[in-house]
Structure formats: C-alpha cells, structure tokens
Amino acid sequence: MSGRSLARLPASWILLACIGLLALNLRGPFVAVAPVVGLMQAELSFSPVMLGLLTSIPVLCFSLAAPLASLAARKFGAEFAVTLTILGVLAGVLVRSSGGPALVVVGTVLIGAAITMGNIAAPLIIRRDFAPARQGTAMGIYTAALNIGSFLTSVVTAPLADLAGWRFALGSVAVLAVAAIVVWTLAVGPRNAFLVSGGDGADTKRPPVTGLGWITAGLTAGFGGQAFSYYGVTAWLPSYLHDELGMSVAEAGAASSIFQILAIVGGLGVPFAAKYWGPTAVAVTVGALWLTVPVGLLLAPQLWWLWSVFGGVAQGGGITVIFIAIIRLARDQASAGKMSATVQGLGYALAAVAPPLVGFVHDASGSWTPALLVILASVLTFFAGTTLSVRKVPKGR
C-alpha cells in the first residue's frame, strides 16, 4: 500500500478503514490479559488482587484520564491525538510483555492512558469529517470494530500462549498497532500524523440545544448503566453458567463469547434502524433487549443462549446510541469533546466498580439472584437515562 494508491480511493472509505483499525486497538490489548492470567500468576507470583488490577487499570484510566484526553485532542488536533493513541498502545503492549511485574503494571497504565485518548478522539473525527447522514454509520463501524478486536484477541491469545508463552501472546497485539500507524500515516500524511496542529481544523457549528446540561447528565447515567452492565456481565457470566447450569469452565467461556460477538450486530444495526425510526424508538428497543439479560437469567436460565444473543446486540447498540447522541447534539467540536469526556469519564468510573461489586454481592448472599438484581438496576439506569436524553437527537437520514 502506498500514499498514491490510497489517493485513488474515496476519502470516506480511507477514513472508515482508519477508524476501524484504530478501534481494533482500543479494547483488545487489555482483554488479552484474561486468557493468560494463570500463566502470568505462575511466573510473576501476582496476587489475585493484582491480577484483577491488570484488567481494571485501563477502565480506571478511561475514567480518570478522560478530561485530560479531551483537552489534548482539542489542543493538539485529532490527527495527532490518534497518532498518540496508536503509539501509546504499541509502547504499552511492548513494555508489558518485556519484563517483570513492575513493567507489566507500567505497560498496562500506558495502554489505558493511550486508549482513553482514542476513546475521545474517534467520535470527534467522525463528527468533524462525516456528513450528518453518515455519522451514524461511521459510529456503528467504530463500535463494531471495538467488539471485533475484543473477540479476536480473546480467541487467539490462549492458543498463542500455549505455543510460545504469555509474553509472546500479549505482545502479538502489537501487530494491530503497527498496521494502524502505517495506514494512518499514509492516509493523513506524516506532517498531520506527527506534528501538533494546534486545533481541530474545520468545524461544524450547530444550533444550541435547550437543556443540554440535563441531556448530558442523562447520557452520563445511561452510559454508566451501559458500561456497568457490560463489564458486570462480561466478568461473571461464565461463572454463572458454570454454577447454575453445570457447564465446564471451557464450555462456559465459549458460551459467553456469544454475548461479545453479537455486539457487532448491535453496533451496525442501530445506525440502520435510526434511518427509519426516531431516536427514542431506537433507545427503547435497545433498552428492552438489554433487560432480557438479567430478567431472562432470573426467570428462564435454560434459555441463556437467547438472552446472550439479545444482550450482545443490546450492548453493541447501547454504546452506539449514546455516541451518536453526543456527536449530533453538541454545538461544535469543543463542546463535543467536553460532553464526551464527561459522559465517558463518569460512566467508566461506574464500570470499574461493576466486577468487584457484582462478585461481592454474589459471595455475600451465596446466590446469583441478588447479583442479577444489581445488573437489572444498572440496565434500568441505562434504559431511563438514554431514552429520556435522546429525544432531541435529529433522526438519521
């Protein structure tokens, strides 16, 4: 591939490819830890608490570093922010795979901070560089690629670790970062990719929306409920299937992957539905699908596969609904960045609490019923916050 060959392709195709490659790097690097925690513990003598931190540190970074990432994306320019994201992920992956316990932690922090930058920059680029009628599709591709990255990494990490060790398996994620930085540099040019632009270039001004503060609060609650539900179900669904249905550990892990991979359908389906339905109808549909997970597992656990399908579609669609609302309601790039930082910063703070809280409730009660009721409460928070907040979002065209 060369800059000349890229120039012959439509600019929107190139940008979509770049967004997809970027998104592949925004979840896989920290999801990769889960399949090899046993090998890491055996070699590095990590405590269970430290092993838990390796997956929660990036989520905490998503929360704590979101305001700084938003400021950097606005001050340095979105192109340079994407470059920082990819190079940060690459550096973090290599550091995490290269040494002892200290380097594992340092690399994990680098990965979390870099991904936070990408979480903010990607929606800003979509808002700036795509026409309103195509922003929903671009956002759907972005969220679908997030889940493709998670799924692929989860599938290949364990086999690679069996062949060449956990360091090689975790380090192999760097291949995606190298591909992303090469394509990104060719697409935007070395100058734009590696030099600070001092701003976001062209901007799309929109009329101010009345009550935007309350809308932001509602979207924050919705995103918090979505993220809490996602991380809670992701962490504990395999254990639930093992305890309640007698699945082996391997069977439960494979079964729970349905919940992950179906998110691709939700990410791509929401923009399609938004062309024909109003934003409230889309949000209600996604919320109803999300509700089937805790309610279905409480009332009919033998149909776990159906609830996993519905929930997978919902979790991919839920984050897409919220991101589309942010980029369509914000007046300009600056307000979009601040709004995104608020929604993601506070929302991911709730997400970081989900795995330990759901686990604590289960252990304290000795039953999965109270734990599922916690998930039910978080899903209802998503349902109410999102549905009430998207009413002023323009219908997709």
Side-chain angles (χ1 to χ4, degrees):
M1 182 179 290
S2 66
R4 181 174 297 176
S5 63
L6 281 177
R8 291 196 291 266
L9 295 173
S12 60
W13 291 13
I14 298 171
L15 186 55
L16 279 176
C18 290
I19 288 171
L21 279 171
L22 171 65
L24 290 178
N25 287 275
L26 297 186
R27 292 298 178 269
F30 76 86
V31 170
V33 171
V36 296
V37 288
L39 298 174
M40 295 178 71
Q41 185 175 30
E43 181 175 335
L44 301 175
S45 299
F46 276 151
S47 68
V49 173
M50 181 56 70
L51 288 173
L53 282 176
L54 293 182
T55 55
S56 62
I57 283 174
V59 182
L60 288 172
C61 287
F62 297 169
S63 172
L64 299 177
L68 182 60
S70 175
L71 178 63
R74 298 197 307 272
K75 295 297 183 182
F76 298 157
E79 285 81 6
F80 187 70
V82 169
T83 302
L84 286 179
T85 296
I86 301 170
L87 292 180
V89 168
L90 178 60
V93 166
L94 295 178
V95 169
R96 185 178 63 180
S97 305
S98 63
L103 287 181
V104 169
V105 174
V106 170
T108 301
V109 173
L110 283 175
I111 291 169
I115 292 176
T116 305
M117 180 78 73
N119 287 343
I120 300 296
L124 291 179
I125 289 177
I126 290 172
R127 183 188 182 278
R128 187 193 65 186
D129 293 341
F130 286 90
R134 302 195 65 188
Q135 288 172 351
T137 300
M139 188 59 68
I141 290 173
Y142 167 71
T143 55
L146 289 177
N147 288 281
I148 291 172
S150 297
F151 179 76
L152 291 177
T153 304
S154 299
V155 168
V156 304
T157 300
L160 285 177
D162 290 337
L163 288 174
W166 68 265
R167 295 180 187 277
F168 178 82
L170 293 185
S172 66
V173 183
V175 172
L176 294 175
V178 171
I181 196 63
V182 170
V183 174
W184 181 247
T185 303
L186 290 173
V188 304
R191 182 179 181 85
N192 288 330
F194 293 98
L195 295 179
V196 174
S197 66
D200 235 355
D203 197 358
T204 302
K205 299 285 185 179
R206 292 175 181 161
V209 176
T210 304
L212 189 60
W214 287 107
I215 292 173
T216 302
L219 290 175
T220 301
F223 190 89
Q226 155 81 20
F228 185 103
S229 303
Y230 169 75
Y231 284 101
V233 171
T234 296
W236 293 108
L237 182 58
S239 298
Y240 171 88
L241 295 175
H242 173 71
D243 294 346
E244 297 296 311
L245 299 177
M247 292 186 182
S248 69
V249 174
E251 289 172 339
S256 64
S257 67
I258 296 174
F259 177 74
Q260 302 295 334
I261 195 62
L262 264 294
I264 299 170
V265 177
L268 297 175
V270 160
F272 178 80
K275 293 180 180 180
Y276 304 98
W277 301 349
T280 301
V282 174
V284 168
T285 301
V286 172
L289 289 173
W290 241 131
L291 282 172
T292 64
V293 177
V295 174
L297 291 177
L298 283 168
L299 300 180
Q302 69 276 10
L303 296 178
W304 61 268
W305 57 271
L306 182 60
W307 317 134
S308 293
V309 168
F310 288 162
V313 173
Q315 59 103 344
I319 192 171
T320 308
V321 167
I322 293 171
F323 279 147
I324 289 175
I326 291 172
I327 63 177
R328 288 185 176 171
L329 290 173
R331 184 179 183 183
D332 50 33
Q333 287 292 88
S335 60
K338 294 175 183 177
M339 191 175 179
S340 182
T342 299
V343 170
Q344 293 192 58
L346 296 176
Y348 279 123
L350 287 175
V353 175
L357 179 59
V358 173
F360 172 79
V361 170
H362 169 257
D363 291 342
S365 64
S367 168
W368 282 107
T369 297
L372 288 173
L373 291 176
V374 171
I375 298 295
L376 176 60
S378 66
V379 171
L380 288 172
T381 301
F382 161 76
F383 198 149
T386 305
T387 302
L388 293 173
S389 302
V390 301
R391 291 175 294 173
K392 294 185 179 181
V393 175
K395 183 178 179 180
R397 294 180 295 276

